Amino acid sequence: MCRNIKTLFNFEPPATEDEIHASALQFVRKLSGFNKPSQSNAEAFDRAVAEVTASARRLLASLHTHAPARDREIEAEKARERSKLRFG
């Protein structure tokens, strides 16, 4: 599950709210072991996703770097190349 969490900091354009939420959702899924929680756990699960999303948003807003912003397309191409080398 967590393999799908992508780095969100220092990209141009910056991470969207949807990307931050998706990352938080994957994190909570991994921690809880639930892909989709039962009705009795749904409220706690959804609250955790909202709290992790808010924390991630605050983290990204507070980080600073002197490195130039990375381009999403270039990073995606690098990932595809690594995948080709690894899986053939």
Side-chain angles (χ1 to χ4, degrees):
M1 276 187 256
C2 279
R3 289 185 298 256
N4 296 331
I5 297 176
K6 306 287 189 244
T7 300
L8 299 178
F9 177 62
N10 198 27
F11 278 99
E12 193 56 48
T16 65
E17 191 63 30
D18 287 341
E19 289 173 316
I20 295 169
H21 182 268
S23 179
L25 178 60
Q26 287 295 326
F27 181 73
V28 173
R29 283 177 174 168
K30 183 67 172 185
L31 285 179
S32 67
F34 300 136
N35 192 28
K36 183 175 184 207
S38 64
Q39 284 184 327
S40 62
N41 291 318
E43 184 179 336
F45 185 90
D46 293 341
R47 184 174 53 250
V49 172
E51 289 172 0
V52 172
T53 300
S55 293
R57 188 182 318 106
R58 283 192 305 272
L59 172 66
L60 292 173
S62 67
L63 294 174
H64 301 282
T65 185
H66 294 290
R70 295 176 284 185
D71 182 276
R72 290 179 186 279
E73 289 302 316
I74 292 171
E75 295 301 318
E77 183 58 36
K78 288 180 188 177
R80 285 189 288 273
E81 289 299 319
R82 286 191 302 269
S83 181
K84 281 183 191 175
L85 291 173
R86 184 173 179 194
F87 299 112

